[in-house]
Amino acid sequence: GIAKETKSATPKVNPKFSGRIVCNDIKTGRRYKEISVRKGKEHGWVRSYSRRDGKVEEEVHYKNGVRDGMLRRFKSGHKFPYLEWSYVNDEIHGIQKEFYSKTGQLESIKWTDAKKTGSSDTRLSFNKGGALESIRCGKTSIDVRDSRWCGRNGIESEVPLYREGAKNPYKILRF
């Protein structure tokens, strides 16, 4: 056998198996998980689906049984992810993005370093209109714009911050 049904969402897999496992709900027949496997371990994309509507809720990339790559989460009924996180060797590391799920508009982007116990470095937050709402400049550039905004190009800059729906900035930062 390839896999045995268990009470957990992920079946136990034969350590020699490589391929794709599709898990279906016994009552409805609806798919709730797809697992790419190499030598008995998750390797490649693993997708979880809503048992209500069958749409993707989460997709995460694995390498030799640990998260390594992109993780995306979706809210039921929305086609855009509400977050994208980057993993390296099962730890959050790199650029992390959060989105307004109805529109797919970027809400925030930050850099997280797993070696510094998940500490965040540079962070940008945007309102629903796409205007910059807050900024924290760290050592790591995460977006083409933050190089200019944070003065990484050697030129002093003024950065206006906007609240939701406001036409005028509530604060102007100088870097």
Side-chain angles (χ1 to χ4, degrees), residues 69-154:
M70 187 63 62
L71 165 102
R72 290 184 193 94
R73 288 196 179 140
F74 299 82
K75 288 189 178 176
S76 185
H78 297 115
K79 65 180 180 176
F80 301 107
Y82 69 89
L83 66 78
E84 288 182 355
W85 289 353
S86 179
Y87 279 85
V88 175
N89 200 26
D90 217 27
E91 292 189 41
I92 295 173
H93 181 80
I95 292 178
Q96 316 304 314
K97 296 179 182 180
E98 294 182 13
F99 302 90
Y100 293 103
S101 60
K102 289 182 181 177
T103 63
Q105 175 81 30
L106 185 63
E107 182 177 359
S108 69
I109 180 171
K110 67 180 178 178
W111 174 268
T112 302
D113 189 342
K115 293 183 172 104
K116 294 182 180 176
T117 29
S119 66
S120 179
D121 189 345
T122 303
R123 181 182 175 91
L124 309 173
S125 296
F126 302 90
N127 63 33
K128 288 181 181 173
L132 186 66
E133 198 169 60
S134 69
I135 184 170
R136 181 172 68 213
C137 296
K139 290 185 263 178
T140 309
S141 182
I142 55 173
D143 186 277
V144 178
R145 298 167 290 185
D146 83 87
S147 288
R148 182 172 32 92
W149 290 336
C150 295
R152 289 190 181 89
N153 58 2

Side-chain angles (χ1 to χ4, degrees), residues 51-68:
R51 291 184 187 234
R52 278 180 312 192
D53 62 15
K55 301 213 178 195
V56 176
E57 287 183 330
E58 180 178 278
E59 55 186 16
V60 61
H61 193 269
Y62 278 79
K63 185 176 177 183
N64 297 319
V66 297
R67 291 172 292 191
D68 198 274

Side-chain angles (χ1 to χ4, degrees), residues 27-46:
K27 292 178 184 172
T28 65
R30 188 170 286 180
R31 170 184 56 190
Y32 66 86
K33 195 159 202 161
E34 283 182 358
I35 309 164
S36 296
V37 177
R38 187 171 77 181
K39 296 181 183 173
K41 294 181 180 178
E42 292 101 335
H43 192 84
W45 288 103
V46 173

Side-chain angles (χ1 to χ4, degrees), residues 2-14 17 20-24 32-37 40-43 45-49 51 58 60 62 65-67:
I2 296 169
K4 292 183 179 179
E5 186 68 35
T6 65
K7 291 188 180 196
S8 76
T10 306
K12 291 189 177 187
V13 179
N14 181 325
F17 175 74
R20 192 170 134 228
I21 297 172
V22 177
C23 303
N24 295 317
Y32 66 86
K33 195 159 202 161
E34 283 182 358
I35 309 164
S36 296
V37 177
K41 294 181 180 178
E42 292 101 335
H43 192 84
W45 288 103
V46 173
R47 290 182 177 86
S48 299
Y49 298 86
R51 291 184 187 234
E58 180 178 278
V60 61
Y62 278 79
V66 297
R67 291 172 292 191

